[in-house]
């Protein structure tokens, strides 16, 4: 198939070949401008790189500001504990086995920072840097698809988007996974534009790395398949597809192979069975209620609106981005188990679509005339007025994201908690108190496995969750059940009980059961962690979020 370049984006067919006619990534600047004496001004040369540096700096600021205000949540404790166990840190090896559920690529990258002592901030800084790298990758993607201006606006949107900011401040798999997913999308775009085998193979290899970061990203392969099925003008012979599939399979195969070599194949199989039979943890409307607001309602509206008002310019680009968005959205909406960060791979294409719409926003001529009158420049060109309006709209959308992101990174003490949205108030402090004030070898009973993970990470005390089911189909195989906690308490095998408001809010039944055990075994409050809250009159009052009891037979 032949490929030609043109100044218009069209796809032409003939009987023998399919010709992909590409949009230019950037229009070259004229060689000579009035008043410029044929020389480009320095600000024209450095404006785009300077803007990108400023965007990256803003992205980094939002991701590291008050990064240590809260300790780890449960998932962060698990991944950091795995990284520490990989590094041979003796504080964590007894509590966090190397092989639990997910692939180990990200944990391996973190392990050099977790060799000794207690580590949390360093791990989050690594994720924050990878988050900034994602911002740069989005710029590359947007510039390659629609031009440099769209790339800059897309990078700005993802830099301040609350959804991406919050997740890339945590030691979670999703932040690094989205970086590799965006690079996969970029490689796929390069393949479609150049029709070179190298880029197709690179896309397959990068998708394998993405899956090796978090195995649920395999759903993105469905987005690639949907795009290729809906875009017949893209060359995709069977041999080429097999060639691209090989590095993807080889990359991901390191996960099951490493489990087999370590003799932990059963752990992976048990985790898969548990995932298939897990009960729903949120309602069907969870994503509709949380994700659009986290991405920014104006951003989502711009992305959807742009597909409408730019429909006459529709090409394979929009098909690719929409397919990439639809794959995780459809899968995780139908999947019973839902998590706040699961739809993060859709953030990058949404930002690109929104940037495309905002930079080509239709501006009525009447508005342009009013603007020229307002600035008292009757001789101003209409294009200048339109660009001014679009710049103002982009600024409004950016500020609508920046405000919530800034509030999120400054919200340290909060009596409510959504899994995946940040650290757990009081968890780190409670764990450190147990490490400093209880004998070595003490065993702790918590309300759920989430607080047990936090206590084991910061307190270095063996912890069991009361709500962990003894039925292997109803529990994470990484968690050990406690079928008869009453017996353990009666024989003094449990010395401390930890109640936390976050777990209690999710399960009133187990909260009441824990309190029954505390009363039965003479529980005495030895430590309490508080956050600021309000009472019925609106006055600020301390709210207990973690309470530690000492119990005895």
């Amino acid at each position: 198939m032949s490929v030609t370049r043109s100044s218009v984006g069209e796809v032409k067919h003939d009987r023998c070949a399919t010709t992909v006619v590409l949009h230019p990534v950037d229009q070259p600047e004229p060689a000579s401008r009035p008043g410029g004496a044929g020389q480009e001004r320095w600000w024209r040369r450095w404006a785009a790189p300077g803007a990108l540096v400023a965007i990256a700096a803003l992205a980094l600021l939002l991701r590291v500001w008050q990064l240590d205000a809260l300790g780890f949540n449960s998932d962060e404790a698990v991944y950091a504990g795995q990284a520490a166990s990989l590094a041979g840190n003796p504080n964590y090896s007894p509590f966090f086995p190397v092989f639990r559920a997910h692939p180990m690529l990200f944990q391996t990258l973190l392990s050099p920072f977790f060799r000794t002592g207690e580590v949390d901030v360093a791990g989050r800084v690594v994720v924050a840097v990878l988050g900034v790298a994602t911002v740069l990758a989005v710029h590359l993607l947007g510039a390659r698809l629609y031009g440099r201006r769209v790339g800059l606006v897309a990078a700005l949107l993802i830099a301040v988007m609350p959804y991406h900011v919050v997740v890339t401040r945590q030691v979670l798999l999703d932040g690094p996974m989205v970086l590799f997913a965006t690079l996969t999308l970029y490689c796929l775009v390069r393949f479609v534009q150049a029709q070179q085998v190298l880029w197709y193979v690179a896309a397959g290899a990068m998708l394998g790395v993405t899956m090796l970061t978090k195995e649920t990203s395999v759903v993105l392969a469905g987005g690639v398949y949907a795009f290729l099925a809906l875009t017949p003008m893209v060359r995709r012979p069977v041999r080429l597809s097999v060639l691209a599939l090989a590095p993807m399979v080889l990359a991901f195969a390191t996960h099951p192979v490493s489990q087999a070599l370590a003799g932990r194949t059963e752990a992976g199989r048990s985790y898969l069975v548990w995932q298939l039979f897990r009960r729903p943890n949120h309602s069907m409307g969870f994503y509709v209620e949380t994700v659009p607001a986290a991405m920014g309602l104006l951003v989502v509206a711009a992305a959807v609106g742009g597909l409408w008002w730019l429909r006459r310019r529709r090409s394979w680009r929009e098909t690719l981005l929409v397919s990439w968005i639809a794959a995780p959205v459809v899968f995780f909406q139908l999947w019973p188990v839902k998590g706040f960060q699961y739809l993060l791979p859709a953030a990058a294409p949404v930002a690109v679509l929104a940037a495309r719409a905002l930079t080509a926003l239709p501006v009525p001529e009447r508005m342009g005339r009013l603007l020229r009158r307002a600035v008292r420049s009757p001789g101003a060109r209409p294009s200048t007025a339109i660009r001014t309006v679009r710049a103002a709209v982009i600024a409004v959308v950016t500020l609508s994201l920046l405000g919530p992101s800034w509030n999120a990174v400054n919200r340290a003490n909060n009596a409510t908690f959504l899994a995946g949205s940040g650290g757990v108030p009081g968890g780190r402090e409670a764990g450190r108190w147990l490490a400093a004030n209880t004998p070595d070898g003490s065993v702790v009973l918590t309300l759920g496995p989430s607080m047990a993970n936090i206590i084991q990470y910061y307190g270095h005390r063996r912890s069991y969750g009361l709500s962990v089911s003894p039925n292997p189909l109803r529990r994470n195989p990484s968690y050990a059940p406690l079928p008869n906690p009453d017996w353990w308490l009666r024989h003094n095998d449990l010395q401390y009980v930890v109640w936390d408001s976050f777990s209690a809010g999710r399960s009133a039944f187990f909260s009441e059961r824990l309190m029954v055990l505390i009363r039965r075994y003479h529980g005495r409050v030895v430590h309490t962690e508080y956050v600021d809250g309000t009472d019925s009159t609106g006055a600020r009052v301390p709210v207990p979020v973690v309470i530690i009891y000492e119990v005895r037979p």
Side-chain angles (χ1 to χ4, degrees):
M1 179 174 60
S2 60
V3 180
T4 61
R5 295 184 180 274
S6 173
S7 61
V8 293
E10 299 176 349
V11 178
K12 301 178 181 179
H13 303 270
D14 56 35
R15 295 182 180 271
C16 301
T18 300
T19 303
V20 181
V21 184
L22 305 176
H23 287 274
V25 176
D26 264 323
Q27 294 288 353
E29 295 290 343
S32 178
R33 291 180 178 272
Q39 296 181 353
E40 188 180 41
R41 296 180 181 178
W42 68 269
W43 59 269
R44 290 188 181 278
R45 180 180 302 172
W46 296 105
L52 187 59
V53 169
I55 290 170
L58 176 61
L60 183 63
L61 174 64
L62 289 174
R63 285 157 180 79
V64 301
W65 181 261
Q66 294 193 6
L67 197 58
D68 194 32
L70 293 176
F72 282 161
N73 57 40
S74 175
D75 288 343
E76 288 184 283
V78 169
Y79 302 139
Q82 285 181 286
S85 295
L86 274 171
N89 190 325
N91 292 332
Y92 300 101
S93 299
F95 307 107
F96 296 96
V98 171
F99 292 99
R100 288 172 68 106
H102 298 288
M104 297 297 299
L105 175 62
F106 175 57
Q107 295 89 319
T108 302
L109 295 176
L110 282 183
S111 59
F113 302 95
F114 287 79
R115 292 177 178 174
T116 59
E118 178 192 288
V119 184
D120 48 13
V121 178
R124 285 177 169 172
V125 169
V126 172
V127 180
V129 171
L130 294 177
V132 176
T134 305
V135 172
L136 301 178
V138 170
H139 168 260
L140 291 176
L141 177 64
R144 172 58 58 175
L145 283 171
Y146 298 110
R148 184 170 54 193
R149 186 177 302 172
V150 172
L152 287 172
V153 175
L156 177 61
L157 295 179
I158 203 74
V160 298
M161 182 183 289
Y163 198 23
H164 194 260
V165 168
V166 169
V167 176
T168 52
R169 288 170 57 89
Q170 306 172 66
V171 182
L172 299 176
L173 305 181
D174 303 85
M177 181 264 287
V178 169
L179 169 61
F180 298 129
T182 305
L183 293 176
T184 302
L185 189 56
Y186 175 79
C187 292
L188 190 58
V189 169
R190 293 297 300 266
F191 163 69
V192 175
Q193 290 181 333
Q195 294 289 291
Q196 294 178 354
V197 176
L198 178 63
W199 286 110
Y200 200 28
V201 174
M206 193 57 65
L207 182 58
V209 173
T210 306
M211 294 162 52
L212 195 58
T213 307
K214 189 172 184 179
E215 76 285 356
T216 55
S217 59
V218 68
V219 302
L220 297 176
V224 177
Y225 177 81
F227 165 68
L228 295 176
L230 295 171
T231 317
M233 72 282 298
V234 177
R235 182 170 64 94
R236 51 191 190 285
V238 175
R239 292 182 181 179
L240 184 60
S241 298
V242 172
L243 187 63
L245 192 64
M248 181 187 75
V249 173
L250 288 175
F252 183 70
T254 57
H255 174 50
V257 169
S258 62
Q259 281 191 328
L261 293 176
R264 296 302 302 272
T265 305
E266 185 62 30
R269 187 181 300 113
S270 300
Y271 180 76
L272 177 61
V273 172
W274 172 67
Q275 286 283 42
L276 293 175
F277 292 95
R278 283 182 68 180
R279 296 176 179 176
N281 58 346
H282 291 288
S283 66
M284 290 294 290
F286 173 75
Y287 289 128
V288 175
E289 296 168 358
T290 58
V291 172
M295 285 188 177
L297 295 178
L298 293 181
V299 171
V300 175
V304 175
L307 292 174
W308 170 252
W309 66 65
L310 297 175
R311 61 191 182 277
R312 296 184 182 275
R313 305 183 192 177
R314 185 176 57 190
S315 67
W316 60 268
R317 296 163 175 79
E318 294 72 56
T319 303
L320 175 60
L321 295 176
V322 172
S323 298
W324 196 263
I325 295 169
V329 169
V330 172
F331 179 84
F332 287 113
Q333 179 61 38
L334 297 177
W335 189 254
V337 180
K338 305 188 189 316
F340 173 75
Q341 71 274 24
Y342 287 1
L343 299 187
L344 194 62
V350 167
V352 173
L353 286 175
R356 167 183 177 257
L358 294 172
T359 55
L361 185 70
V363 179
E365 179 62 27
R366 180 177 298 179
M367 182 179 294
R369 290 198 299 268
L370 291 176
L371 180 62
R372 293 196 299 274
R373 292 174 184 174
V375 298
R376 295 180 181 178
S377 300
R381 293 181 298 173
S383 60
T384 302
I386 292 173
R387 285 198 297 268
T388 303
V389 172
R390 289 172 178 167
V393 173
I394 292 171
V396 170
V397 173
T398 302
L399 291 175
S400 74
L401 299 175
L402 185 58
S405 292
W406 187 250
N407 291 335
V409 302
N410 284 281
R411 187 184 61 187
N413 290 330
N414 199 319
T416 61
F417 173 73
L418 176 63
S421 62
V424 176
R428 174 174 57 187
E429 292 73 17
R432 287 176 175 175
W433 186 91
L434 284 166
N437 296 278
T438 62
D440 290 338
S442 298
V443 183
V444 180
L445 177 66
T446 65
L447 184 51
S450 297
M451 184 55 64
N453 288 330
I454 297 172
I455 294 300
Q456 289 187 145
Y457 188 86
Y458 288 107
H460 313 301
R461 299 292 183 264
R462 179 67 63 186
S463 301
Y464 296 91
L466 178 65
S467 64
V468 175
S469 173
N471 184 347
L473 297 178
R474 300 298 183 188
R475 74 166 187 269
N476 188 324
S478 302
Y479 300 142
L482 207 60
N484 193 346
D486 192 86
W487 189 92
W488 282 57
L489 287 164
R490 191 182 307 120
H491 290 80
N492 200 31
D493 291 327
L494 290 170
Q495 294 83 36
Y496 295 90
V497 176
V498 175
W499 175 93
D500 70 282
S501 63
F502 313 108
S503 300
R506 294 194 298 267
S507 178
F509 170 80
F510 284 106
S511 178
E512 180 56 33
R513 186 181 174 191
L514 188 74
M515 297 308 299
V516 169
L517 293 173
I518 290 172
R519 290 190 294 266
R520 182 179 300 168
Y521 292 97
H522 317 290
R524 179 174 64 90
V525 176
V526 293
H527 184 74
T528 305
E529 291 292 334
Y530 297 92
V531 299
D532 293 334
T534 56
D535 58 16
S536 57
T537 64
R540 298 182 66 84
V541 295
V543 177
V545 290
V546 181
I547 303 176
I548 302 176
Y549 297 86
E550 184 179 17
V551 292
R552 56 185 176 83

